[in-house]
Amino acid sequence: MTDITAEPFSVGSLYLAGFTQARAPHVGLMIPTTATEGVLVHIRIDRAVSPTWTLQTRVQKIAGDMFLSSLLCISAAGITVDQLKSAAQTVHVPENDEFGECFPWAQAVVHKLHDEELLQLKSMPGLVKEFDEFSAGNKVYARRDRFPNVAVSQFCA
């Protein structure tokens, strides 16, 4: 396995993280704390715990993860993990089990961070299209020996 990170990867920046799945990527928000792991804030369904979406914050392996394929930098401004978690806790978690709720939820967190002046969102429709197109081509990065594909958003700062 390689330990070389991809440019323009940066510890401490905020990323939209895409995890390869059968239909569309699972999406969360991540702040890398080292070159090999970070803190992931996302919603997920764990049917053993709840039949609906729940908010989860956890340590996420970056290098060598089988499913993490995309990291789109949306802020290099030094948003802290606590600020991200605080914003995420104010965003309503869907009360259903429908596929595809994770990206709209992540978008709402990005809006909250923008409202709190922690990042500058230039265009949500632009960001959504950019992430969809970027993550769609990244399935080849979903391997233990590949670092996720990394890019910087044109629609956030």
Side-chain angles (χ1 to χ4, degrees):
M1 174 175 22
T2 182
D3 60 0
I4 299 172
T5 58
E7 292 297 327
F9 179 80
S10 175
V11 171
S13 292
L14 176 63
Y15 293 86
L16 275 175
F19 295 82
T20 299
Q21 298 182 132
R23 289 192 257 175
H26 175 64
V27 181
L29 294 154
M30 183 165 33
I31 298 176
T33 52
T34 70
T36 59
E37 68 181 26
V39 174
L40 175 68
V41 176
H42 68 139
I43 57 171
R44 65 183 299 263
I45 295 176
D46 182 350
R47 299 209 190 282
V49 176
S50 170
T52 61
W53 293 97
T54 58
L55 175 62
Q56 182 186 56
T57 299
R58 67 178 169 92
V59 172
Q60 170 64 46
K61 188 161 82 167
I62 299 171
D65 184 84
M66 273 298 285
F67 301 101
L68 178 60
S69 59
S70 307
L71 291 172
L72 182 65
C73 185
I74 59 172
S75 178
I79 295 171
T80 68
V81 170
D82 286 341
Q83 288 169 320
L84 174 59
K85 287 168 43 177
S86 177
Q89 289 169 348
T90 68
V91 173
H92 176 73
V93 175
E95 297 171 2
N96 62 53
D97 64 352
E98 295 174 20
F99 179 83
E101 295 279 8
C102 55
F103 194 18
W105 178 86
Q107 292 170 49
V109 176
V110 170
H111 266 295
K112 179 70 174 170
L113 293 167
H114 173 78
D115 291 346
E116 293 178 358
E117 299 181 354
L118 295 170
L119 65 73
Q120 180 186 5
L121 175 63
K122 299 172 187 170
S123 166
M124 183 56 79
L127 177 62
V128 169
K129 182 176 185 220
E130 178 183 53
F131 185 77
D132 282 343
E133 291 174 356
F134 172 64
S135 63
N138 291 336
K139 289 184 181 186
V140 297
Y141 289 87
R143 296 174 29 171
R144 292 191 200 286
D145 64 345
R146 300 281 309 260
F147 197 82
N149 197 9
V150 181
V152 175
S153 176
Q154 298 176 46
F155 298 99
C156 287

